[in-house]
């Protein structure tokens, strides 16, 4: 499970600012805590771990000090690394709302008991994570925040959601063609047999207008 990202050096003694991906930094960032690094393969830090020495707060911003970072130069070389902890560390802790991607993929997404779709993927971004939900109408991206995903029941295989109005309905409307997608009803005059070639052309024109009135499906 990822718990943070190293953003920029702080001071001259190896401190580095943190972007936290956990609601309980006091549980995860304790002295002696070990973190696996997600860095490019050509980074000198690839395949290594770092150990927390101390977590401090400066102007309400978290700053980490690690055993392996002795000075500012060391901190500059590890900027943008993402910090991960292993499954045993998660099991040993008591943090709520913490799951691995593989635990979420395949779960049913439900709203008040109604199945909306299935989690196909979890996408990670600095601001928030997104659940990629496959529905009968297509793919919906659901912000993985407590206001929209209040609970996850791994044992029951359910992700409970309280989505804002339109998050799923708009996708359904796209597949249905949207409001006003039905062709205009045929007039009585158009239903009568054409009296001559001119009226037949007029009838084709009217049908074309009805078809042209269909709104284009918005891009997915």
């Amino acid at each position: 499970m990822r718990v943070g990202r190293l953003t920029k050096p702080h001071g001259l003694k190896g401190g580095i600012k943190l972007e936290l991906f956990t609601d309980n930094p006091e549980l995860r960032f304790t002295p002696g805590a070990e973190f696996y690094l997600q860095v490019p393969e050509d980074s000198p830090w690839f395949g290594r771990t770092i150990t927390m020495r101390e977590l401090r707060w400066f102007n309400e911003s978290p700053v980490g000090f690690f055993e392996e970072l002795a000075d500012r130069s060391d901190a500059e070389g590890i900027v943008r690394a993402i910090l991960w902890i292993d499954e045993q560390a998660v099991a040993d802790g008591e943090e709520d709302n913490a799951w691995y991607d593989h635990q979420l993929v395949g779960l049913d997404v439900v709203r008040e008991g109604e199945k909306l779709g299935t989690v196909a993927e979890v996408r990670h971004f600095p601001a928030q994570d997104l659940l990629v939900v496959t529905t009968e109408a297509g793919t919906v991206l659901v912000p993985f925040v407590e206001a929209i995903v209040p609970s996850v029941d791994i044992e029951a295989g359910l992700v409970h959601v309280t989505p804002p109005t339109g998050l799923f309905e708009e996708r359904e409307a796209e597949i249905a063609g949207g409001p006003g997608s039905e062709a205009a009803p045929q007039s009585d005059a158009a239903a009568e047999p054409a009296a001559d070639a001119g009226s037949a052309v007029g009838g084709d024109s009217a049908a074309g207008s009805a078809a042209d009135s269909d709104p284009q499906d918005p891009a997915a």
Side-chain angles (χ1 to χ4, degrees):
M1 182 180 74
R2 65 178 198 149
V3 293
R5 184 168 67 97
L6 306 178
T7 60
K8 60 185 298 185
H10 177 88
L12 302 175
K13 297 182 179 181
I16 189 165
K17 290 186 176 181
L18 292 165
E19 179 181 359
L20 302 179
F21 301 151
T22 173
D23 294 329
N24 297 311
E26 68 281 357
L27 177 65
R28 299 300 175 207
F29 292 88
T30 57
E34 184 180 49
F35 302 94
Y36 297 89
L37 296 172
Q38 179 182 331
V39 294
E41 291 187 7
D42 58 356
S43 168
W45 292 97
F46 182 76
R48 296 176 60 184
T49 62
I50 57 175
T51 303
M52 171 65 65
R53 178 157 46 90
E54 184 181 6
L55 178 67
R56 299 180 186 175
W57 295 82
F58 294 89
N59 297 323
E60 299 185 356
S61 297
V63 175
F65 294 84
F66 298 88
E67 299 291 352
E68 293 78 6
L69 306 180
D71 53 32
R72 187 179 183 89
S73 178
D74 289 341
E76 289 175 344
I78 200 173
V79 165
R80 292 189 296 275
I82 295 177
L83 305 179
W84 292 75
I85 57 176
D86 60 19
E87 292 194 39
Q88 187 58 47
V90 176
D92 291 342
E94 298 178 352
E95 181 174 2
D96 295 328
N97 303 327
W99 302 275
Y100 282 92
D101 293 2
H102 71 264
Q103 293 178 293
L104 299 169
V105 172
L107 300 188
D108 290 337
V109 177
V110 298
R111 175 180 54 191
E112 297 180 350
E114 174 193 5
K115 180 178 177 179
L116 301 176
T118 303
V119 178
E121 180 187 355
V122 182
R123 296 182 184 175
H124 300 286
F125 297 96
Q128 65 186 18
D129 295 336
L130 294 176
L131 297 180
V132 181
V133 179
T134 301
T135 73
E136 292 183 356
T139 298
V140 177
L141 301 179
V142 179
F144 198 12
V145 295
E146 188 173 358
I148 298 177
V149 186
S151 65
V152 174
D153 189 336
I154 297 295
E155 292 185 1
L158 299 175
V159 174
H160 296 274
V161 297
T162 53
T165 302
L167 182 61
F168 284 89
E169 288 75 8
E170 287 180 2
R171 168 57 65 182
E172 294 170 0
E174 289 178 9
I175 300 301
S181 62
E182 296 181 0
Q186 190 178 31
S187 66
D188 292 339
E192 295 179 358
D196 52 34
S199 61
V201 172
D204 290 343
S205 176
S209 298
D212 292 341
S213 67
D214 289 351
Q216 295 293 324
D217 288 344

